[in-house]
């Protein structure tokens, strides 16, 4: 670990939660409708080290545990899933660098990711979604130059990111290439009007004969594709799972507030048993997701060998619970929540996407089934 890179000024998780609530305020709905996060909000969070708070202090980061980082991710997720998505991409990029880069690359990249630069992680292609073994993006090396060709789709945060961590084939192995977005041959086109997380800067990216120094290959490349993908996705899955805890908490709060204050048939909605059942379901969904995320983060923090399975389980349950709970919250608020820009309407759209990304519900089910079959 280097000792020459200054650590970010200490920010406690409690201070960070207050700061992000101030930064977002009640503007997430406006950002969603505009399809854009204010650059200064992303910059301010990044400057405070909060886009990727798990980056070690030795590399200029905050060095938070997965548990602290997860609770903060839930806080951001309760306010704005687009901002949380940008955090997830930044954290995935930083984690991939931490795990795969050589020392010089880590010393160069991690302090930037901890304070100034933003990053997106590009693996999906038009014909390679759940099945990333179908990836066709290639990188070839000649002397000290590499050449990158390919096409990635749906890359969160790519519209504005400074760096694109791009997965590619390298001969019969694989590599992650760190591509500055401004490199000649890189073309980025915004994904118009996604169902949810509309301000997260989703974009498709083309790499047409992009030339870079071979030092842009994380750890010199030549790793197995499954190792690279599992490394990046494990971080992403846990971050998305905590983000879903945030969606669950936002839905629970909105539903409880509304059911307590709105009267029909002479009493608060909450006193009608069928509405009360929705509230019970919302709370239990939030509690179950929280406990699974806490468990996965503890596995992460203690280096437990169970971390991969615990993370898949947390992501699977949290995203499904968030989808169902957002629908329940819209049901409780009815016409009051059936408005574009209302937090529960936004949650309803955002939550569904969480069942698709970082390993869809079906991919998680296959992994969990494989786990129970093979541990016998
Ligand atoms: P497909 O793979 O075509 O799957 C379609 C359906 O079939 C899914 O329900 C899937 O679960 C199911 N299915 C597929 N194979 C099987 C099987 N063997 N058994 C059972 N069911 C199966 N990609 C990036 O690289 N970087 C990003 O930052 C990023 N961000 C994203 C953000 C959003 C909001 C979205 C929607 C996507 C993002 N993606 C990103 C892409 C995402 O990773 C893919 O959408 C995801 O992997 C699924 O791939 P697909 O959409 O091609 O679906």
């Amino acid at each position: 670990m280097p000792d020459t890179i200054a650590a970010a000024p200490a920010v406690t998780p409690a201070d960070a939660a207050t700061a992000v609530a101030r930064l977002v305020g009640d503007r997430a709905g406006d950002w969603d409708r505009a399809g854009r996060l204010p650059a200064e909000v992303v910059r301010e969070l990044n400057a405070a080290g909060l886009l990727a708070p798990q980056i070690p202090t030795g590399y200029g980061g905050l060095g938070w545990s997965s548990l602290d980082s997860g609770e903060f991710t839930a806080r951001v997720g309760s306010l704005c899933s687009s901002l949380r998505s940008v955090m997830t991409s930044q954290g995935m990029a930083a984690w991939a660098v931490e795990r795969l880069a050589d020392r010089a690359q880590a010393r160069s990249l991690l302090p930037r990711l901890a304070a100034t630069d933003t990053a997106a992680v590009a693996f999906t292609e038009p014909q390679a979604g759940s099945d990333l073994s179908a990836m066709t993006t290639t990188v070839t090396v000649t002397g000290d130059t590499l050449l990158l060709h390919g096409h990635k789709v749906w890359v969160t945060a790519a519209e504005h990111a400074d760096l694109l961590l791009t997965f590619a084939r390298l001969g019969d192995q694989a590599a992650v290439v760190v591509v500055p977005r401004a490199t000649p041959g890189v073309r980025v086109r915004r994904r118009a009007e996604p169902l949810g997380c509309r301000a997260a800067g989703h974009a498709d990216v083309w790499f047409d004969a992009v030339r870079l120094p071979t030092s842009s290959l994380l750890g010199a490349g030549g790793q197995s594709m499954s190792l690279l993908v599992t490394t990046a996705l494990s971080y992403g899955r846990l971050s998305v799972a905590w983000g879903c805890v945030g969606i669950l908490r936002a839905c629970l709060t909105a539903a409880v507030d509304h059911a307590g204050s709105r009267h029909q048939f002479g009493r608060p909605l909450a006193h009608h048993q069928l509405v009360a059942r929705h509230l019970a379901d919302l709370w239990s969904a939030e509690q179950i997701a929280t406990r699974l995320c806490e468990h996965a983060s503890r596995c992460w923090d203690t280096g437990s060998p169970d971390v991969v399975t615990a993370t898949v389980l947390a992501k699977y349950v949290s995203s499904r619970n968030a989808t169902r709970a957002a629908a329940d919250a819209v049901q409780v608020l009815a016409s009051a929540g059936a408005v574009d820009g209302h937090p529960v309407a936004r949650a309803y759209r955002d939550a569904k996407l969480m069942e698709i990304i970082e390993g869809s519900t079906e991919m998680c089910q296959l992994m969990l089934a494989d786990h129970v079959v093979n541990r016998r």
Side-chain angles (χ1 to χ4, degrees):
M1 196 79 83
D3 51 13
T4 50
I5 297 166
V11 181
T12 67
D15 291 345
T18 308
V20 80
R22 173 185 55 77
L23 269 178
V24 177
D26 59 1
R27 295 184 294 158
D30 295 339
W31 300 343
D32 189 62
R33 274 196 298 276
R36 189 173 294 266
L37 295 170
E40 66 276 12
V41 168
V42 176
R43 210 168 26 242
E44 200 171 319
L45 274 184
N46 203 7
L50 291 170
L51 280 190
Q54 279 176 253
I55 294 177
T57 52
Y59 289 110
L62 298 173
W64 284 6
S65 66
S66 174
L67 200 53
D68 282 345
S69 174
E71 269 297 338
F72 179 65
T73 304
R75 180 72 177 134
V76 178
S78 72
L79 298 166
C80 176
S81 282
S82 290
L83 188 56
R84 197 275 312 145
S85 300
V86 169
M87 269 184 75
T88 297
S89 295
Q90 186 86 356
M92 268 167 87
W95 179 245
V97 170
E98 208 182 315
R99 298 294 294 181
L100 304 170
D102 63 30
R103 190 175 162 80
Q105 291 170 325
R107 284 176 59 85
S108 157
L109 289 167
L110 287 173
R112 288 161 60 190
L113 293 174
T116 53
D117 291 10
T118 53
V121 180
F123 39 87
T124 307
E125 298 181 0
Q127 302 308 324
S130 303
D131 178 12
L132 289 173
S133 69
M135 204 180 277
T136 57
T137 295
T138 56
V139 57
T140 48
V141 174
T142 312
D144 53 10
T145 302
L146 66 80
L147 197 60
L148 181 66
H149 286 277
H151 175 195
K152 300 290 182 183
V153 293
W154 272 103
V155 185
T156 302
E159 192 184 2
H160 304 293
D162 301 300
L163 301 172
L164 304 166
L165 266 74
T166 305
F167 288 64
R169 299 198 164 283
L170 174 64
D172 55 8
Q173 295 281 68
V176 178
V177 188
V178 182
V179 185
R181 194 169 54 93
T183 311
V186 176
R187 195 156 47 90
V188 176
R189 190 174 69 198
R190 173 189 171 78
R191 274 262 152 192
E193 300 177 356
L195 172 68
C197 301
R198 291 176 184 162
H202 301 115
D204 294 356
V205 187
W206 287 261
F207 302 97
D208 300 321
V210 173
R211 278 174 202 282
L212 288 164
T214 48
S215 57
S216 312
L217 288 172
L218 280 190
Q223 298 102 330
S224 87
M225 183 64 85
S226 64
L227 168 83
L228 298 184
V229 168
T230 306
T231 300
L233 285 186
S234 282
Y235 185 98
R237 278 184 191 133
L238 190 45
S239 179
V240 166
W242 276 110
C244 289
V245 168
I247 292 176
L248 283 157
R249 290 177 185 169
C251 288
L252 178 64
T253 302
V256 169
D257 287 352
H258 187 77
S261 59
R262 164 104 172 145
H263 288 66
Q264 288 293 282
F265 300 98
R267 48 194 173 137
L269 290 174
H271 293 184
H272 296 290
Q273 287 184 339
L274 291 178
V275 177
R277 189 185 63 183
H278 285 308
L279 302 182
D281 286 348
L282 269 158
W283 186 60
S284 32
E286 183 273 330
Q287 287 289 298
I288 291 164
T290 300
R291 298 291 94 77
L292 288 176
C293 285
E294 287 170 348
H295 173 65
S297 277
R298 287 201 184 93
C299 287
W300 194 284
D301 288 334
T302 56
S304 162
D306 295 336
V307 68
V308 173
T309 307
T311 297
V312 173
L313 182 60
K315 195 275 176 182
Y316 170 63
V317 172
S318 302
S319 58
R320 292 192 94 192
N321 283 8
T323 303
R324 287 187 194 149
D328 279 348
V330 172
Q331 196 67 24
V332 170
L333 273 85
S335 60
V339 182
D340 194 18
H342 192 287
V344 297
R346 192 155 38 83
Y348 186 70
R349 291 185 284 99
D350 294 343
K352 187 62 203 166
L353 296 183
M354 302 305 114
E355 284 202 70
I356 297 172
I357 59 172
E358 319 301 3
S360 64
T361 287
E362 291 77 11
M363 289 297 110
C364 290
Q365 286 168 331
L366 291 174
M367 286 183 268
L368 294 171
D370 189 54
H371 171 74
V372 288
V373 169
N374 287 318
R375 77 177 175 180
R376 292 164 72 94

